[in-house]
Amino acid sequence: MADPSIDPETTPSSESPNVDTPGAEALDPAEALSPAQAYARFRHRQSSPLLAAFADAYPFALDDYQREACGQLEAGSGVLVAAPTGAGKTIVGEFAVFLALRTGRKCFYTTPIKALSNQKYADLVRRHGTSNVGLLTGDTSVNSEAPIVVMTTEVLRNMIYARSATLTNLGYVVLDEVHYLADRFRGAVWEEVIIGLADAIQLVALSATVSNAEEFGEWLSEVRGEMAVVVSERRPVPLYQHVLVRHRLYDLFAELAPTARELPGGGKPDVNPMLIKIAHE
């Protein structure tokens, strides 16, 4: 896969950040809060001032699970976030970036492949400017001493073993697609990063496909110390499965696919009877 074109000299946009985060509810400026709601909102802002400032930059309300995960991060805990694809869990990773910039520390944002690293680098440059964001992959090095550096996970693993000076003042590490830890060939890289990072570094682990989040979270707590587990099962972006037979595309399931439901449930889905018939022919 060819890496998307990246121009490190691109001037950061002065427009509002991209707000097409699935799962987020639009704010209605005309909606009036009851006195109780207004007081609860005031208390929340007082208890989590950095989260309040971060959330104010978005013209939509953060979901409950996003607020919970960000609140845990602001309180000093690491966090494992398990949420379906399209649910907006990267908001938590971006809050780690926000915290690093606000507190004068570094944040490394890791991804499993170069294409994702390039994409995230471009996103963060648009929001925070070229001087604040760097990129490190196997064949690219841009502003490596920036406070925010996007990199492939192998690059961070190599830094840890080399005791790189770039790790100095590192406060947050985001492991996007952390389920790669279960990969037969590359999983050891994620395990080595989780174990090898200094205890003072707060870890943000993001995944859409971790099925044993609580068990995984317990292991992370044993290795890293305090580690909150935040799980959301709400799926704002439906996913449909199809099977191509000869030149015709069939729905995999007879009824609505389980991954197309906003919330899990509804019993075990039946496979499309046409596919069963074809399989028996």
Side-chain angles (χ1 to χ4, degrees), residues 6 114 116-122 133-137 140-144 146 148-152:
I6 297 294
K114 289 189 292 184
L116 288 178
S117 292
N118 288 339
Q119 178 185 353
K120 197 63 191 179
Y121 168 73
V133 186
L135 174 67
L136 288 174
T137 62
T140 303
S141 177
V142 178
N143 199 15
S144 61
I148 309 303
V149 184
V150 183
M151 62 185 68
T152 46

Side-chain angles (χ1 to χ4, degrees), residues 5-39:
S5 176
I6 297 294
D7 180 7
E9 301 303 323
T10 301
T11 303
S13 171
S14 60
E15 298 177 356
S16 299
N18 179 18
V19 297
D20 297 329
T21 302
E25 299 177 359
L27 287 176
D28 182 359
E31 183 181 359
L33 297 177
S34 69
Q37 290 173 322
Y39 179 69

Side-chain angles (χ1 to χ4, degrees), residues 117-183:
S117 292
N118 288 339
Q119 178 185 353
K120 197 63 191 179
Y121 168 73
D123 291 343
L124 292 174
V125 163
R126 280 193 292 269
R127 180 164 301 176
H128 301 292
T130 54
S131 62
N132 285 322
V133 186
L135 174 67
L136 288 174
T137 62
D139 53 9
T140 303
S141 177
V142 178
N143 199 15
S144 61
E145 297 302 322
I148 309 303
V149 184
V150 183
M151 62 185 68
T152 46
T153 315
E154 281 82 358
V155 170
L156 178 54
R157 187 270 309 270
N158 294 342
M159 280 186 183
I160 293 171
Y161 282 143
R163 298 186 178 181
S164 171
T166 304
L167 295 169
T168 302
N169 200 34
L170 180 61
Y172 303 90
V173 167
V174 180
L175 293 178
D176 206 351
E177 312 292 352
V178 72
H179 54 266
Y180 266 75
L181 186 142
D183 184 85

